[in-house]
Amino acid sequence: MKFPVYSNIFVLLFAFLPALAHSSSLLGRTLESLRESETAAVDGVHLLSGRLLAEFYALREHRLVWTEPARIDALLLLVEESRLEGFAPQDFHVETLRELSLPHAFDALSEAERIGADIKLSDALLRYVHHTRFGKLDPVAVDPKRNDRKPVPAEQLLADMMGAVEADDPDAFLSSRLRHPFWYEDLKRGLARYLGKANLEGLAPLPVGAILRQGNRDPRVVLVRERLGLIGDQEIPVPAADATRFDESLHAAVVAFQRRFGLSADGAVGPSTIAALNQPFDAGKIERIRINLERMRWLYNDLGADYVFVDVADYKAHVVRDGGIVWSTRVIVGEKDAQTPMFRDTMDHLVFNPTWTVPISIQKKMGLVSSSYTLVDRQTGRKSSGGDASNYKRYQVVQQPGPRNALGRVKFMFPNRHSVYLHDTPNKGLFARDRRALSHGCVRVQDPVRLAEILLQESDWSRGRIDQVLGGSRTRYVNLEKTLPVLLYYLTARADEHGAVRFRPDIYGRDQSLLEMFAGPVLRTRIAFPEPPALPDSESAPALPPAPTDPELDAPPASNAVRLTQTESPAP
C-alpha cells in the first residue's frame, strides 16, 4: 500500500521558535500545523494521526505530557511487553522511548526538540491504544473487497490516552477498559508457549528413558529442569542437596508445562512430555499466531458476552452466551472463488420458510424451471409459475418456500453490503465432508432449527411453535427480542484454554499478504472524528475544495446495506 509522504513540518517551524521554556502557545501552534497534515513526522518518526494528537493536547490545554520519568517508564514497559500481544516493540517507537527514559535525557534538548520528543512519546501511546483495541492494520486497507469495518472512533482513543496518562498504573487502566474475549486470551497463551520455545533453538534433544516422577533421582532431571526454565522464561529452584532429585517445584513446573501444551497434567515426564520438550522451534508458527491475533483485534472492540461466532476456516459456528460457547454446529462457507468475507454486524431477525430470489449470475445459466419457481416480469410485474428463466433482462426468478428451496427452511438476517447471511440448505450430505468451502459466499448451517430455537429462547417461540410454522409454506419474519452481534472471522490459528494451538489450512490464501503488511510500518489509519456543530446561516464559511484522498484508506463505509428479506438475495 502506498501513502503520501510529506516533509518534516518541524524543520521550517522550529527555525523561528523563540527561546521560551515550556510555552503552551508554542506547543499549540505546532499541534495546529499537525492537525492539517495527512501524514506528518517528527525527526523522521511518522505520526499515526496528527489531528488526533492535536485533539489530545487540546484536552490537556496544550501542556507537555511526558514531564515525569515514571510516566515514561510505564509507557516503555507497556511497549516492551507488547510482544506478548503479538506486536513488535518497534511498532511503538521503542528506541526513542529507551533513549528518552535515560536519566537527564531532556537536559540538553532545545525547546523545539523538547516539544518534538513529547509528541513522539504521545504518538507511541496513541499507537499502543489504537493497535491493542482495533489492531495495527486497517482491515479495509488489507482487503477492501472482503473485509469490513468502520473508521475507529476518535472519542474512544482519546479516552484511553487521557486515562492512561493520568492513571498510576496505565497497564491496569487500559486492561480495565478493554476486556478481551476468551478466544483472544487463549491464542495469547498459545503465543507465549511458542515464544518460550524460541529459547530452545539449537539445543540438543533430551534423552529418552524411564518415566521421571516426583521423588526420583536421575541425571536427566537436571536437563528437564533447565529445559523447562528456558521454555517458561523463569528459573526453577534447584534442591540444595541434590540437583538430580525430582522435587516439588519441578513437579509443579512439569504440570504447568503439560497444561499449556494440552498434555495429561500428571506431573510425570514420560514419552509424550519428552516429545513436547524436544519439539523443534518453528518461527513461522509464531508469525502465523501473530497475524491471527491481529485479525481478532479487528472486530472485538466493545464485544458483549452474547454473540454468534462463525469460524470460517474451521467450518464451524458457535453461539456464545455469558462469554462462553454454549452450542456449536458445522457450517459450509464460500468456495475460494466466492469467499465468505470477514466482518461484524448485527442479527435482528429470522425468516422461516424463506423465498429465494435467484441472482442474475446464476439465472443466466438457467433454462426451463419448474412451478416451484415464479417468474416476475420486470416491466409489468406479471407473475407466472415456471417457464424459461434464461431471459434475465426480462424476468426476475423467485424460488418459493419448500423442501428444495436453496435457502432451506430458515435464514438468519444481519444486513450487510455483501448480502451474506446464515441459512439452512437442502443438501445435508455436504456437512459430512471435512473441507466445506462449497457455497457461493453465504454460510450454510447444519442444524438451523436448533440455532433458531436457541436464538429465540427469550421470546415465546418454543420448538413446537417453530416446527408448526416450518410444517407449512407461509413465510414468517420473526424479530429477535434483542439484537445479537454476528462475527465472521477468518482465522488460520486458534488455541484452547490451555494455549494449545491448532493451525488450519489457509483455504483462501490470505496469510502471506497479511504477514507482509503486518511486518511493515503503519503511517496512518482511518479515524472518525465528531462532526463540528453547524454554524448559523449568517456565519457559514465558504465551502472548501475537497481534500485529496487515498482510495484505499478514505473510502466511506458502505451505505447500501438493506434488509435482505426485501431485496434480491445472493447465491447461497
Side-chain angles (χ1 to χ4, degrees):
M1 187 186 341
K2 296 181 180 179
F3 296 94
V5 179
Y6 292 80
S7 300
N8 189 324
I9 62 172
F10 291 94
V11 173
L12 179 62
L13 180 63
F14 287 168
F16 300 98
L17 293 179
L20 299 174
H22 305 292
S23 166
S24 61
S25 62
L26 171 60
L27 179 58
R29 292 196 302 274
T30 302
L31 291 164
E32 284 308 307
S33 66
L34 282 176
R35 184 189 296 274
E36 304 303 323
S37 300
E38 289 191 12
T39 301
V42 178
D43 300 331
V45 175
H46 288 279
L47 306 178
L48 187 65
S49 171
R51 179 176 176 182
L52 192 129
L53 289 170
E55 299 281 355
F56 172 60
Y57 279 94
L59 291 173
R60 292 183 51 82
E61 300 177 342
H62 292 152
R63 290 178 288 112
L64 295 175
V65 178
W66 306 96
T67 56
E68 301 172 14
R71 185 174 287 171
I72 300 173
D73 290 342
L75 178 59
L76 178 59
L77 180 61
L78 281 176
V79 166
E80 290 183 329
E81 292 294 310
S82 68
R83 60 194 292 269
L84 300 178
E85 302 279 347
F87 299 110
Q90 290 75 18
D91 291 331
F92 312 104
H93 316 321
V94 67
E95 294 303 326
T96 298
L97 270 165
R98 287 169 180 160
E99 292 174 5
L100 295 176
S101 68
L102 296 174
H104 311 294
F106 293 95
D107 291 356
L109 298 184
S110 67
E111 179 68 8
E113 292 169 335
R114 178 65 183 86
I115 289 175
D118 205 84
I119 293 173
K120 285 185 284 187
L121 292 173
S122 294
D123 185 67
L125 176 61
L126 166 58
R127 288 175 180 270
Y128 185 85
V129 300
H130 173 274
H131 293 5
T132 53
R133 183 179 286 279
F134 299 106
K136 173 181 173 179
L137 301 173
D138 181 348
V140 176
V142 172
D143 188 343
K145 181 179 179 181
R146 299 186 179 95
N147 294 335
D148 274 350
R149 193 186 66 189
K150 295 179 179 179
V152 302
E155 299 97 322
Q156 206 159 27
L157 295 173
L158 289 168
D160 286 346
M161 293 178 71
M162 291 292 290
V165 297
E166 294 169 1
D168 293 332
D169 186 344
D171 187 16
F173 169 79
L174 292 174
S175 296
S176 70
R177 290 267 300 172
L178 178 58
R179 300 293 184 181
H180 294 137
F182 67 91
W183 28 271
Y184 183 83
E185 291 293 340
D186 290 346
L187 193 55
K188 270 183 62 179
R189 281 188 282 273
L191 176 63
R193 277 179 43 173
Y194 276 87
L195 289 173
K197 290 184 74 66
N199 297 324
L200 307 184
E201 192 169 14
L203 293 181
L206 296 176
V208 296
I211 296 176
L212 300 175
R213 294 185 173 87
Q214 185 174 345
N216 291 162
R217 283 182 167 81
D218 190 296
R220 290 180 299 142
V221 168
V222 177
L223 300 176
V224 170
R225 184 181 292 111
E226 291 175 349
R227 186 65 54 91
L228 286 170
L230 289 171
I231 292 175
D233 201 25
Q234 59 183 356
E235 186 174 348
I236 301 171
V238 180
D242 185 359
T244 66
R245 185 170 67 85
F246 195 132
D247 66 344
E248 184 177 354
S249 62
L250 180 57
H251 175 84
V254 171
V255 169
F257 171 82
Q258 290 170 332
R259 285 175 177 163
R260 285 168 57 195
F261 279 76
L263 303 172
S264 176
D266 57 8
V269 180
S272 59
T273 300
I274 289 291
L277 288 167
N278 285 336
Q279 191 175 35
F281 171 67
D282 185 347
K285 289 184 176 179
I286 288 180
E287 296 309 308
R288 287 189 67 190
I289 292 171
R290 293 177 70 218
I291 62 169
N292 281 283
L293 285 168
E294 173 71 1
R295 285 176 172 136
M296 291 177 174
R297 289 186 286 263
W298 291 346
L299 304 181
Y300 73 16
N301 183 48
D302 287 344
L303 183 64
D306 299 343
Y307 50 91
V308 174
F309 184 107
V310 179
D311 193 344
V312 173
D314 197 36
Y315 312 110
K316 293 281 186 67
H318 310 283
V319 177
V320 177
R321 298 287 194 192
D322 297 323
I325 294 174
V326 297
W327 184 79
S328 302
T329 186
R330 289 186 165 205
V331 298
I332 293 169
V333 300
E335 60 189 1
K336 188 169 184 179
D337 291 336
Q339 299 178 18
T340 298
M342 180 170 156
F343 65 96
R344 170 178 167 182
D345 223 299
T346 303
M347 185 185 299
D348 55 10
H349 72 286
L350 283 60
V351 184
F352 293 127
N353 298 322
T355 60
W356 176 46
T357 301
V358 181
I360 290 176
S361 60
I362 293 179
Q363 186 181 345
K364 289 179 180 180
K365 304 172 185 177
M366 300 175 75
L368 294 175
V369 295
S370 69
S371 60
S372 64
Y373 290 88
T374 299
L375 274 61
V376 182
D377 191 302
R378 296 182 185 275
Q379 294 181 347
T380 67
R382 182 178 178 182
K383 299 178 181 179
S384 58
S385 295
D388 186 358
S390 62
N391 189 350
Y392 64 91
K393 293 183 179 180
R394 179 175 179 182
Y395 295 113
Q396 182 182 62
V397 181
V398 179
Q399 188 180 26
Q400 298 305 310
R404 300 306 302 167
N405 185 284
L407 303 182
R409 298 183 295 166
V410 191
K411 63 178 179 178
F412 306 84
M413 305 304 295
F414 41 101
N416 59 87
R417 75 174 175 94
H418 304 279
S419 295
V420 163
Y421 47 90
L422 279 65
H423 65 83
D424 187 14
T425 176
N427 301 316
K428 300 294 187 182
L430 297 177
F431 290 104
R433 299 187 184 183
D434 290 331
R435 297 194 174 190
R436 297 185 294 278
L438 305 168
S439 80
H440 291 84
C442 283
V443 179
R444 305 176 192 172
V445 181
Q446 183 177 31
D447 192 353
V449 180
R450 177 58 180 151
L451 177 57
E453 183 182 8
I454 292 171
L455 298 182
L456 294 174
Q457 280 177 342
E458 297 181 0
S459 67
D460 58 354
W461 280 83
S462 66
R463 178 59 182 260
R465 186 181 179 191
I466 292 172
D467 288 340
Q468 183 179 15
V469 170
L470 294 177
S473 59
R474 178 188 172 194
T475 300
R476 292 287 301 271
Y477 303 84
V478 181
N479 291 326
L480 298 181
E481 289 291 319
K482 292 191 297 185
T483 59
L484 192 66
V486 179
L487 293 83
L488 280 75
Y489 265 117
Y490 182 77
L491 302 172
T492 55
R494 274 194 63 188
D496 64 16
E497 65 272 21
H498 304 299
V501 181
R502 185 164 69 90
F503 296 93
R504 294 88 170 269
D506 182 14
I507 58 175
Y508 292 157
R510 298 181 186 176
D511 278 1
Q512 187 56 43
S513 61
L514 181 56
L515 283 166
E516 294 170 1
M517 293 184 71
F518 191 68
V522 173
L523 304 185
R524 56 187 288 228
T525 192
R526 294 182 305 141
I527 298 176
F529 292 88
E531 292 293 331
L535 295 172
D537 290 341
S538 59
E539 301 179 26
S540 296
L544 296 175
T549 60
D550 183 310
E552 289 187 301
L553 285 179
D554 296 325
S559 59
N560 61 338
V562 294
R563 289 177 66 93
L564 299 180
T565 52
Q566 300 170 358
T567 189
E568 181 173 307
S569 302

